[in-house]
């Protein structure tokens, strides 16, 4: 089994680790774009072009599925990616987990990048899946960039700033950027109020990994031999995971994978 994941940077680590835990025997191809990152400030057309190039590099390794491990790329490039690769190569996007968050009841906060916060895309998801649920959109200035570079000081400051914008009665936080899942417990600690119920966090990594397996007709098998290999592509060139990946549990998990044969 071979599964590819793509993103501009290490935001794909959460979904990659989720795939690795479900199928330790899967060969993984990670296609990043250090030459073009960050994707967020790019125009939709430019971002789509970068995403297609990164996907082409991954597709050359003939994976059975391609996960777009980035919310921004999913918003802007998913239609073009599916038009280019499906049905031969299933393409799985990453959507903020607003539906399950709203189903849990209580007040919901959606932490997302400033570009995504208030966007028609996110507002559409709220209108479709969170009718009747009090929802606060929280722009997280600089958090994705801080996580990307494992800048501890910047992460602490960005999390604190976003927590200050989060209403005190929030019971659930949607992590609307894949980078945020790498610092989920720090977000929980910043938002959790003393005496309040345990804060619920909703990321997308687990659901995306499970959907990728479903699309290729495979079942989870966490007990499979940990024989899966890892191939890293950096703007199309074979390389290694960025050093910042080692700052996170998800990145350290992947270091146990063998290099591609």
């Amino acid at each position: 089994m071979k599964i590819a994941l793509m993103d501009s940077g290490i935001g794909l680590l959460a979904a990659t680790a989720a795939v690795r835990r479900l199928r330790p025997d899967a060969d993984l191809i990670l296609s990043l774009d250090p030459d073009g990152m960050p994707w967020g400030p790019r125009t939709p057309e430019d971002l789509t072009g970068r995403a297609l190039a990164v996907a082409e590099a991954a597709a050359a390794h003939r994976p059975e599925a391609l996960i777009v491990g980035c919310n921004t790329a999913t918003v802007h490039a998913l239609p073009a990616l599916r038009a280019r690769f499906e049905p031969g190569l299933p393409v799985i996007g990453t959507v903020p987990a607003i539906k399950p968050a709203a189903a849990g009841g209580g007040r919901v906060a959606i932490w997302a990048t400033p570009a995504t916060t208030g966007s028609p895309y996110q507002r559409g998801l709220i209108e479709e899946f969170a009718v009747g649920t009090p929802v606060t959109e929280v722009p997280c200035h600089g958090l994705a960039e801080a996580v990307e570079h494992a800048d501890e000081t910047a992460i602490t400051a960005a999390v604190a700033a976003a927590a200050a914008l989060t209403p005190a009665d929030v019971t659930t936080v949607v992590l609307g950027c894949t980078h945020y899942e790498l610092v989920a417990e720090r977000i929980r600690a910043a938002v959790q109020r003393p005496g309040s119920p345990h804060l619920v966090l909703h990321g997308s990594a687990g659901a995306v990994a499970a959907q990728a397996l479903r699309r290729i007709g495979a079942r989870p098998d966490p007990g499979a031999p940990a024989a899966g290999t890892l191939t890293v592509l950096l703007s199309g060139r074979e390389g290694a995971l960025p050093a910042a990946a080692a700052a996170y549990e998800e990145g350290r998990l992947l270091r146990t994978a063998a290099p591609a044969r």
Side-chain angles (χ1 to χ4, degrees), residues 157-194:
V159 168
L165 299 175
T166 304
D169 60 346
V170 156
T171 61
T172 304
V173 173
V174 175
L175 304 177
C177 170
T178 53
H179 281 81
Y180 303 171
E181 298 191 48
L182 301 179
V183 291
E185 290 309 312
R186 295 176 67 163
I187 292 171
R188 187 195 305 279
V191 177
Q192 181 73 58
R193 266 60 175 186

Side-chain angles (χ1 to χ4, degrees), residues 33 38 50 70 73 101 106 108 133 145 179 208 232 238 242:
D33 188 25
R50 300 296 311 188
C70 173
V108 175
T133 299
E145 293 81 2
H179 281 81
V208 165
V232 178
E238 289 204 24

Side-chain angles (χ1 to χ4, degrees), residues 20 35 44 50 55-56 58 64 71 73 77 80 91 98 128 131 139 151 173 182-183 204 230 237 239 241 248 250:
R20 173 63 77 219
D35 294 355
R50 300 296 311 188
E56 290 281 5
E64 295 168 58
N71 296 89
V91 180
I98 294 172
E128 183 175 358
V131 174
D151 185 331
V173 173
L182 301 179
V183 291
S204 302
L230 182 70
R237 307 175 300 272
L241 278 174
Y248 305 104
E250 293 85 350

Side-chain angles (χ1 to χ4, degrees), residues 98 119-130:
I98 294 172
S119 66
Y121 165 75
Q122 184 161 289
R123 290 282 167 85
L125 292 175
I126 294 170
E127 291 171 4
E128 183 175 358
F129 297 119

